[in-house]
Amino acid sequence: MSAPTTTRPVRTTVRTPGDVAALGRVLGVWAHPDDELYLSGGVLAAAVAAGRRVVVVTATRGEHGTDDPARWPPARLVAERSREIRASLAALDPARRRIEHRFLGDASGRCHLDGALVADPGAEAVDELAAIVAEVAPDTVLTFGPDGITGHRDHRAVSAWTDRALRRVPATPRVLHAAVTEAWVRRFGEFVEPMDDADDAFAPCPDAELAVDLEFDGELLDRKVAALRAPATQTAGLEAVVGADLYRASIAGEYFRPAPGRSW
């Protein structure tokens, strides 16, 4: 049984791993397996360590996430990425308090196609996501903002899906959008430029607007690095190219801003 959730207000910026407990029950809604790791792996690890319920929802199986489709045809890659996300979430939670995971579409037997998400997926997908929100009753929802952080169309679509789902439930959790800071862009923007899918990708958020401004180190960062090595089909190449030290530094920060129109 998960520990009792916190009350809704937080109001002060989350700056330390100990502050993460104040986020209460956490629901992450993401597009592809591994999105949750890069953008919120440390937060998830800190939240579950504090006894909070943590649920991660992924919209697609990531069947096209490869530069080597001959080796990784879609069916094979789906199976591998499904295994990888289980392994990566387990690495974030070595005490096995259990970070829960769900693929959208499981309830209906429908897979949402990697690279083909649209802002309005139809009532069935939004209803399924709304039902998850209602069941989990999160205090905090972590997801993409309208820019999708990298500009990826699937990321943008998931942001819209989350907005639609939240309008269908009476609960009013705080909604936080993944962001990067000006300092992060200055330091790491060059090597993540290949991920830029739109002109507004990696647009920095002013520090004063951040609701979560975390820099992990020590055991929690070690845990995140280990978790990110689990989805080797996605991450092994990047770490090899940039080097272990720069890679570790680039994933140490996690930043979120309040969704427009929602109070912090």
Side-chain angles (χ1 to χ4, degrees):
M1 180 178 292
S2 61
T5 190
T6 61
T7 55
R8 171 65 176 78
V10 172
R11 305 193 189 286
T12 58
T13 303
V14 173
R15 298 188 185 278
T16 72
D19 295 338
V20 170
L23 297 178
R25 285 183 185 156
V26 175
L27 173 66
V29 186
W30 306 104
H32 313 102
D34 79 358
D35 291 341
E36 76 292 335
L37 295 177
Y38 278 115
L39 299 173
S40 67
V43 170
L44 302 184
V48 77
R52 301 305 187 220
R53 184 179 183 189
V54 176
V55 181
V56 173
V57 174
T58 311
T60 78
R61 273 69 172 172
E63 67 272 15
H64 296 305
T66 181
D67 294 326
D68 188 359
R71 181 185 179 193
W72 294 107
R76 184 181 180 205
L77 189 56
V78 163
E80 181 62 9
R81 294 194 74 177
S82 298
R83 185 201 64 78
E84 286 177 342
I85 195 168
R86 292 192 298 272
S88 62
L89 293 178
L92 291 178
D93 179 24
R96 297 297 187 267
R97 293 181 178 88
R98 203 166 77 86
I99 298 174
E100 302 169 50
H101 178 257
R102 301 168 194 186
F103 279 116
L104 276 184
D106 279 354
S108 62
R110 173 188 176 189
C111 291
H112 300 288
L113 298 180
D114 181 15
L117 304 189
V118 295
D120 184 358
E124 186 176 59
V126 176
D127 285 347
E128 181 182 4
L129 182 52
I132 292 171
V133 174
E135 184 268 312
V136 175
D139 297 295
T140 303
V141 174
L142 306 178
T143 190
F144 297 107
D147 62 355
I149 207 164
T150 67
H152 195 300
R153 64 176 285 173
D154 287 352
H155 297 182
R156 293 174 183 264
V158 163
S159 180
W161 293 18
T162 304
D163 287 344
R164 289 171 181 267
L166 288 169
R167 289 197 290 268
R168 299 195 182 189
V169 297
T172 56
R174 66 181 66 85
V175 180
L176 303 182
H177 288 165
V180 291
T181 64
E182 293 177 358
W184 190 92
V185 171
R186 284 196 303 271
R187 188 173 181 190
F188 305 112
E190 183 177 356
F191 92 77
V192 298
E193 187 175 347
M195 291 183 266
D196 186 342
D197 289 326
D199 290 340
D200 58 355
F202 298 109
C205 174
D207 291 354
E209 296 180 15
L210 292 171
V212 175
D213 184 2
L214 281 165
E215 295 286 337
F216 291 99
D217 59 14
E219 182 186 354
L220 275 175
L221 183 53
D222 291 342
R223 203 176 297 173
K224 182 173 180 177
V225 170
L228 275 163
R229 285 175 178 157
T233 61
Q234 309 302 302
T235 61
L238 179 58
E239 184 175 7
V241 167
V242 304
D245 290 343
L246 182 59
Y247 182 72
R248 180 182 176 88
S250 73
I251 64 170
E254 294 180 11
Y255 318 101
F256 288 85
R257 68 197 309 171
R262 285 183 174 264
S263 63
W264 169 237

